[in-house]
Amino acid sequence: AEAIGASREHSQLAAISAVMTAANQVIGDAQSRLAGADGVLPATERDLATAWLEIASIRIDQARMLLNHAHKPARQLPRALTERPAS
């Protein structure tokens, strides 16, 4: 039963990782399109979209770090993953 549970958890983590990889690709594509959108979008909208994409990319990287440490107890996680972000 433990082996089946570990196998199921591993396959779920692999599926989540694949989704995050795809999301990173979409974000990269969107960032490339925004970089070429000078004059097409108002600067404020372009800057806001760029900032949102950067934050999304950072959050995906943080989630990937959590997945890499999913099998470890919370006390072994990197400090950046256990602290609340400043408001």
Side-chain angles (χ1 to χ4, degrees):
E2 286 180 29
I4 291 171
S7 176
R8 183 176 300 143
E9 180 179 330
H10 178 72
S11 66
Q12 290 171 340
L13 293 175
I16 292 168
S17 182
V19 169
M20 288 189 315
T21 297
N24 260 344
Q25 291 172 346
V26 169
I27 289 170
D29 291 346
Q31 287 171 324
S32 295
R33 287 178 186 236
L34 277 174
D38 290 341
V40 177
L41 287 175
T44 305
E45 290 180 18
R46 189 182 65 247
D47 292 347
L48 182 60
T50 299
W52 185 88
L53 290 169
E54 288 173 8
I55 291 169
S57 182
I58 290 167
R59 294 292 188 217
I60 289 173
D61 290 343
Q62 289 172 334
R64 191 177 306 281
M65 285 178 60
L66 282 171
L67 281 177
N68 290 338
H69 297 303
H71 63 283
K72 296 180 182 180
R75 67 182 183 279
Q76 293 179 355
L77 292 175
R79 188 175 200 177
L81 296 177
T82 58
E83 294 179 346
R84 291 185 166 241
S87 298

